Amino acid sequence: MRSALAAPALGVKRQGRIVVKKEDWKVKNLPIETEDLGYSNFFWDSDAEKIMSGHLPTSMDDKWFVYSENGWVYFVRSWTGHYIFAFQLAGSSAGGSRVISSWVNTNPEQYRSQSRESDVQLLNDVICSTFGI
């Protein structure tokens, strides 16, 4: 496993993007305590590709490590390695991808949720700031 803020190993390229893998960061085990987040969203193909390619933190101020695996996108806190959010994407008949399932970590030692609404807002903020979507 790679340590936090280590130089990234160049992984597989997908449509000209480096694809971030779980092994690129120190992550804890998937949480046992989760609840349905109720997150719904639709992403056009180019945006879904950005998200599925992931994000590798490059500075101490960069709080999120994001990667995808088997159709799921995982949002991990970069400092702790704890999984906070995840959602599953599936292709849409209109093109693009839609979120078909999502969860939030409910272990209070790993993540302190204020409300599901604030969790959804935080996830949207992370997507916007990290991927420009």
Side-chain angles (χ1 to χ4, degrees), residues 25-124:
W25 204 255
K26 283 187 178 179
V27 297
K28 307 286 184 181
N29 292 328
L30 283 168
I32 296 170
E33 301 172 46
T34 64
E35 287 183 8
D36 179 44
L37 180 57
Y39 183 68
S40 62
N41 209 335
F42 172 86
F43 302 102
W44 291 110
D45 288 335
S46 61
D47 293 338
E49 187 63 36
K50 286 181 196 176
I51 295 169
M52 296 293 285
S53 293
H55 174 75
L56 190 63
T58 57
S59 76
M60 293 299 287
D61 294 328
D62 205 345
K63 298 177 182 175
W64 296 95
F65 169 66
V66 182
Y67 75 95
S68 67
E69 190 172 78
N70 299 321
W72 280 88
V73 180
Y74 298 98
F75 293 77
V76 178
R77 288 306 299 249
S78 63
W79 285 19
T80 64
H82 292 298
Y83 289 82
I84 306 301
F85 306 113
F87 60 75
Q88 186 177 24
L89 289 174
S92 169
S93 59
S97 296
R98 62 184 174 85
V99 175
I100 60 170
S101 186
S102 62
W103 57 255
V104 59
N105 184 339
T106 57
N107 180 330
E109 294 179 10
Q110 297 177 6
Y111 176 65
R112 296 180 201 263
S113 170
Q114 302 299 313
S115 69
R116 287 298 163 260
E117 294 80 20
S118 64
D119 293 339
V120 167
Q121 184 61 54
L122 176 57
L123 180 55
N124 278 327

